[in-house]
Amino acid sequence: MVRSQWDYEGDVIVVGSGAAAYSAAITCRSKGAEVIMVEKAALYGGTTLRSGGGFWIPNNRFQKERGIDDKKEDATRYMARYSFPHLYDPNDPHLGLPENEYNLISIYYDTASKAVKHLEDIGALKTIQEINWTGKPQVDYMEILPENKGIRGRLLYSLGADGKLAYGGELIRQLKSWADSHNIKVILNHRVNRIIRNQKGEVRGVGAIHKNENVRFGARKAVIFGSGGFTHNPELMLRFQRGPHFGGCAAPSNTGDFVYMAEASGAQLGNMAGAFRAEIVLEEALRDPGGVHNVFYVMGDSILEVNRYGLRFGDEKRNYNDRTMTHFIWDPLRAEWRNMLIFMVYDQRTATLWQGFPPLPVQGVPAPYVISGNTLDQLSLNIDARLASLAAKTGGFRLDSGFTENLKQTVARFNGFARTGIDLDFHRGEFNYDREWTTFPPTIPGTKWPPEDTKNYTMYPLSETGPYFAMILGAGTLDTNGGAIINDKAQVLDTENKPITGLYGAGNCIASPTANAYWGGGSTIGPAMTFGYIAGLNAVQEPVKEN
Amino acid sequence: MVRSQWDYEGDVIVVGSGAAAYSAAITCRSKGAEVIMVEKAALYGGTTLRSGGGFWIPNNRFQKERGIDDKKEDATRYMARYSFPHLYDPNDPHLGLPENEYNLISIYYDTASKAVKHLEDIGALKTIQEINWTGKPQVDYMEILPENKGIRGRLLYSLGADGKLAYGGELIRQLKSWADSHNIKVILNHRVNRIIRNQKGEVRGVGAIHKNENVRFGARKAVIFGSGGFTHNPELMLRFQRGPHFGGCAAPSNTGDFVYMAEASGAQLGNMAGAFRAEIVLEEALRDPGGVHNVFYVMGDSILEVNRYGLRFGDEKRNYNDRTMTHFIWDPLRAEWRNMLIFMVYDQRTATLWQGFPPLPVQGVPAPYVISGNTLDQLSLNIDARLASLAAKTGGFRLDSGFTENLKQTVARFNGFARTGIDLDFHRGEFNYDREWTTFPPTIPGTKWPPEDTKNYTMYPLSETGPYFAMILGAGTLDTNGGAIINDKAQVLDTENKPITGLYGAGNCIASPTANAYWGGGSTIGPAMTFGYIAGLNAVQEPVKEN
């Protein structure tokens, strides 16, 4: 497998260029290693570049400054309980989890704030804690759980040059700026497709394809994968995920290359049915699969989500990850996924007041994915006609014959809840998350909101008169989060639970310690950065390997 | 990797000894090959031995004798629609499926009846079509689907010496008898744990562990895996399946060894979230994980299944596979699986009339997994107390505070349905499957049943007076059915979709062509036998390989 020359050689080769990859590369470089980053796409930054850019960091310095005591015992219980509800045992030393799953959560708590501090200390990152529109540090996504104890302030962001919170683009800009000025090469347009080992079986580099040519990258010490998930590989989605998805906002180059390399390298795979999920506007995802069409927030105060029966099926204000899990309900009387496609229904008031906040279009701008009708009857007919036109891509999914009548009753019932302030069915607005994260003032300035007499500002009656609007939503991902299994040194494990020497992973390409949960805002980038940092620390300590 | 001597050598090595393995081994032997079977357990027969032993064979000779025309177009549409509902497109040449998934379904239709005929022709198997207690050949498990067209008679069994339908033990007895008399060695107590390749990378044999010693099996032509799924490997269940399971009736030795070997061999994995599923009696599964404690039929006419809210959540008469899928409903307000544990509730009449049909105990025999109460209030308290005692193994799953009141209303509502004969909520008894498969006369002889005045014999009111009984059920499997991906020659595919030369698979150790569906009775053994046969036919045509 070895020839005399590598096309490129460094101490550490990092595959990918999102948060996991940059965190790993910068950590290695800060410890003196020569680092080369290899990116498949024409653009650096991966999914992080197009993300909100937050990172969930328990026990961070901002919490301490505010006197918030984010104890390890509480944080690990929350993570374990949310990620593995059926295993959780508060009286077990590992909280009921398998040893490796517990260890990853434990080291995450121990290391996350250190990883951020290290990046700050070397000047690679400036951070800020998010304070939401109500003036408070953010709660977690499952603040409802008793184990969460309502703690606030774990969500950090990069700090922009204007002194304000900045998004994923700025996070990548800061990391790349440090990397560029510290001589970390980022080689774009190279699709890594194989892992190269030396005679001892140690990982010694990777092979990549560039313009149909094979290019070989030698790693004297280690290779770190931070190459993302498999959202954009329909076959892998079919073969591993828990139900139908219709795309996601991951970088279009996230086609799971590392899954195949892991399989070919004898690595164990884990959490393969897992993903960070958010609903997606079906027709936009079909039109433009590489774009960002997720519906993170069902914003405003009167949008309803209903299924093919015209029935609500949950609290529309729940976080995007758990909300999307409600799409995977098998209907044993019809042999179909009951909520595979659902319908976001709203009125003219909402279309006006929250216009421009995705997925609501700016009024007047053509938005063919918005279905309209002057009455709920007409809206229903138009939704079903739209579904009929999409049948070849949706398994022929259609509205139930009772949809229209149920929708009318659903609207009437919701309007009653809005007047009393109490959602007897799904408890909308009872939780801090509902009120602070996903319900926020109109995008139109000068609107007096919320109404002074509201009893629950997450609910406002839909208008008695049309027009009404709807969008078709399916399950989507931010990205999948299953892949090779790592240990608490971020080493990839083989089928005998031994590390594959010289091979590390972090981010959405590995079996995420989050499993099925989304611990809080930044639950994808937080672990990505942290395990990237852990991988980097350990990779630089590897001995130099023979060719 | 090669030493001069193998401990055993044959043309074909078959791993496992259930239906897939025996079908493969016998097919090879019938074509002149020298065959050695290697079984991990102390007993041959795998999961087939403990199964019902039926096999789902479309277009079989019994159907033809009855004038049932089981057309390929209809059968493949039914299989494709049920297995891949979100992809199904009747106007697409591949019915909307990826090419390999379509090919496996297509060749299954073409080959299933040939495989059975071959085993019959060589004298390895005698078969009979199942006629159910109403006097008809069986319908399929999703006869509801329009694509099914209500076809009957695809379910065959082995024919016992008494001229009657016989179960899995007889199926294995017949296959083993032929194998024994044709010099097929079955070597027990050898756990195959590695695939051995020659210098060309061709599969040349397997290594096994026997009494802590390594034993090497050489295969001149090919190795065929028919080694079952991973039901009894909790880590693999956690890492791949779609939700919490509590065991299954697979052979206790089914711990997914081939998943690790496939990963170590660079095979592609598929359908890893898939399983053939049936509910399981939680406490029996915890007490005796290696036993058979599944609940295939919610028998009788008045047993209800309710969830932690005391609410029915489906038609209790649905088939076991689809019924079990209803356990995987995520609750985004509680971060738990809403129906993870459910409760089978019944009265003294049912306990008496259907006694002895699993899971109902024979009256008078101690059955600690049965919870009882003289009233529904008392029953509820006792269920919750039992749950509390199991908390460390169930993530602390408990009844909702509204359980008791809801249960009373649920019983009253069901009793009303029973009187009118119409289940307004879940359509119990509207389908042939409900009436013929899962509802059958009492086990107590001399009972006049069904009542002459019944409007729907699947429903009878629960008694107004106690005692009442309940069992706790969780999701279980017959076995998982994900694993290495095969093509339509049953060759295992590598990560470039190329066959791994000399490596074949069939049964529950490979990515099943059934995906998420249970096409009809015998949907696990039918494909196992058929792809075993396909593997055998192709394996014997392999050239002899170098050491």
Side-chain angles (χ1 to χ4, degrees), chain A residues 81 242 263 322 330 335, chain B residues 81 242 263 268 322 330 335:
Chain A
R81 164 62 186 83
R242 63 178 84 246
E263 288 178 334
D322 291 287
W330 184 251
Chain B
R81 164 63 185 81
R242 64 178 81 248
E263 287 177 334
Q268 279 189 77
D322 292 288
W330 184 251

Side-chain angles (χ1 to χ4, degrees), chain B residues 143-166:
Chain B
E143 42 125 10
I144 292 168
L145 287 176
E147 291 81 6
N148 183 261
K149 299 193 170 177
I151 197 157
R152 289 178 180 268
R154 286 169 174 157
L155 174 54
L156 310 184
Y157 278 80
S158 58
L159 177 68
D162 58 0
K164 293 182 183 167
L165 179 154

Side-chain angles (χ1 to χ4, degrees), chain B residues 197 362 385 407 519:
Chain B
R197 304 210 203 190
V362 172
L407 177 60
W519 295 326

Side-chain angles (χ1 to χ4, degrees), chain A residues 81-82 84-89 98 101 142 144-145 235 238-244 260 263-264 266-273 315 318 322-323 325-326 328-330 332-337 340 392-395 426-427 431 485 495 516, chain B residues 81-82 84-89 98 101 142 144-145 235 238-244 260 263-264 266-273 315 318 322-323 325-326 328-330 332-337 340 392-395 426-427 431 485 495 516:
Chain A
R81 164 62 186 83
Y82 187 6
F84 303 97
H86 58 299
L87 299 178
Y88 180 68
D89 176 5
E101 278 75 359
M142 202 50 77
I144 292 168
L145 288 175
E235 293 208 334
L238 178 65
R239 289 169 180 173
F240 290 106
Q241 284 286 308
R242 63 178 84 246
Y260 298 106
E263 288 178 334
Q268 279 191 74
L269 298 178
N271 204 42
M272 291 300 286
D315 171 6
R318 276 289 82 203
D322 291 287
R323 203 172 74 230
M325 283 290 286
T326 61
F328 309 122
I329 296 178
W330 184 251
L333 280 180
R334 294 175 52 90
E336 70 180 16
W337 298 95
M340 185 179 85
K393 291 169 179 174
T394 61
F426 299 109
H427 308 278
F431 316 107
I485 292 176
T495 57
N516 199 45
Chain B
R81 164 63 185 81
Y82 187 6
F84 302 97
H86 58 298
L87 298 177
Y88 180 67
D89 176 5
E101 277 75 359
M142 202 49 78
I144 292 168
L145 287 176
E235 291 208 336
L238 178 65
R239 289 169 179 172
F240 289 107
Q241 286 285 309
R242 64 178 81 248
Y260 298 106
E263 287 177 334
Q268 279 189 77
L269 297 177
N271 204 44
M272 293 299 287
D315 171 7
R318 276 289 81 202
D322 292 288
R323 203 172 74 233
M325 283 290 285
T326 61
F328 309 122
I329 296 178
W330 184 251
L333 279 182
R334 293 175 53 89
E336 70 180 16
W337 298 95
M340 186 178 85
K393 291 169 179 174
T394 61
F426 299 110
H427 308 279
F431 316 107
I485 291 176
T495 56
N516 199 44

